[in-house]
Amino acid sequence: MDNIVFLDVDGTMIPNNSEFMQCFNHEAGSYVYCPLITQRLIQFCKDYNCQIVYNSSHCDQGPFNMMKQATHNGLKNFLHPTHWTTGYPIAYENRLDAVYAWIGHNTDKFNFVILDDWKLKDRRAVKLDPMVGITDRDLIKAAKILGFK
């Protein structure tokens, strides 16, 4: 069984107090994620067999934009192979509605966790500090939500 990480970008991959905030690589056409956080997430995905699905306001420019971000930041190989965005904010105004709709459209069996800097009312959501981004402590919580000790 695969595990899905529903991933927000601002405040999670790009902490609000970092030099990466509003950092855009024009040559790659992509925002630049914090490298330390990116490496943490890559290791988490390797350790727990996770695929990433973006659930971020960055998706407002469409799935192609998110593929560029994933490629530029080293996450491409960890994206869900066919549906790497939830449709938020274009098709859904609410992030949880977007997650639930994505789950409803996928027949595969999987566990999931949501990494977001917004407080979402779901027991599988890990609320991150937007000034810091994803920490080791956040990923320990995420692993427990996925059923790992």
Side-chain angles (χ1 to χ4, degrees), residues 9 14 29 49 52 67 69 75 77 80 87-88 112 118 120-122 126 128 135 139 141-142:
V9 174
I14 306 171
N49 193 32
I52 296 169
M67 179 58 79
Q69 285 189 38
L75 295 176
N77 293 336
H80 186 274
Y88 174 84
F112 73 91
W118 289 5
L120 302 176
K121 293 181 180 180
D122 189 292
V126 178
L128 310 169
T135 65
L139 293 177
K141 289 179 191 175

Side-chain angles (χ1 to χ4, degrees), residues 2 12 35 39 55 59 61 66 69 77 79 83 99-100 112 120-121 126-128 130-131 143:
D2 287 328
T12 57
Q39 286 307 310
N55 191 43
C59 297
Q61 298 176 23
M66 298 315 295
Q69 285 189 38
N77 293 336
L79 291 182
H83 299 95
V99 166
Y100 298 151
F112 73 91
L120 302 176
K121 293 181 180 180
V126 178
K127 199 299 192 183
L128 310 169
M131 300 303 285

Side-chain angles (χ1 to χ4, degrees), residues 18 25-26 43 58 68 82-83 97 102 126:
S18 74
N25 182 310
H26 291 279
Q43 192 60 53
H58 281 236
K68 285 195 314 189
T82 56
H83 299 95
D97 290 346
W102 190 95
V126 178

